Amino acid sequence: MEKEICKISIANNWRNDEYTFYENNKVKRFFDNNSLSSDVTEWLDPSTISKQNKDRLIKKCPEEFKEKIMQILDYP
């Protein structure tokens, strides 16, 4: 099983939008599309995450994990 690094939520309003980062550079996203499609889970390739979401993730990332998360996201 993959070892988790951290979870970062970039939720706004009532919608979930949480990213879980793993040591094997995988990213799992747990989110709500809308009120009829909630609690959706998907595995992402970091290159498919938008620049806007990468900015938000890095901004909310705990300082102790920031360097590793930046490497995974290939940020900036």
Side-chain angles (χ1 to χ4, degrees):
M1 183 158 183
E2 300 92 9
K3 185 167 185 221
E4 184 180 306
I5 299 171
C6 70
K7 290 183 181 179
I8 303 171
S9 175
I10 58 171
N12 56 8
N13 301 327
W14 58 270
R15 294 171 133 185
N16 283 327
D17 198 3
E18 182 178 82
Y19 291 75
T20 306
F21 292 86
Y22 295 90
E23 286 190 348
N24 63 356
N25 294 343
K26 293 196 181 251
V27 181
K28 182 169 63 173
R29 182 180 180 212
F30 178 77
F31 65 103
D32 299 333
N33 273 333
N34 54 49
S35 60
L36 300 176
S37 176
S38 60
D39 298 338
V40 178
T41 300
E42 67 180 357
W43 288 93
L44 301 173
D45 182 281
S47 66
T48 64
I49 300 171
S50 71
K51 177 163 179 359
Q52 178 184 8
N53 281 351
K54 286 181 180 182
D55 291 343
R56 293 169 66 201
L57 287 163
I58 295 301
K59 189 174 192 178
K60 291 196 171 191
C61 183
E63 198 60 44
E64 64 266 26
F65 304 118
K66 197 168 277 191
E67 185 176 328
K68 179 65 176 167
I69 301 307
M70 287 174 76
Q71 288 174 354
I72 292 171
L73 292 175
D74 193 23
Y75 185 90

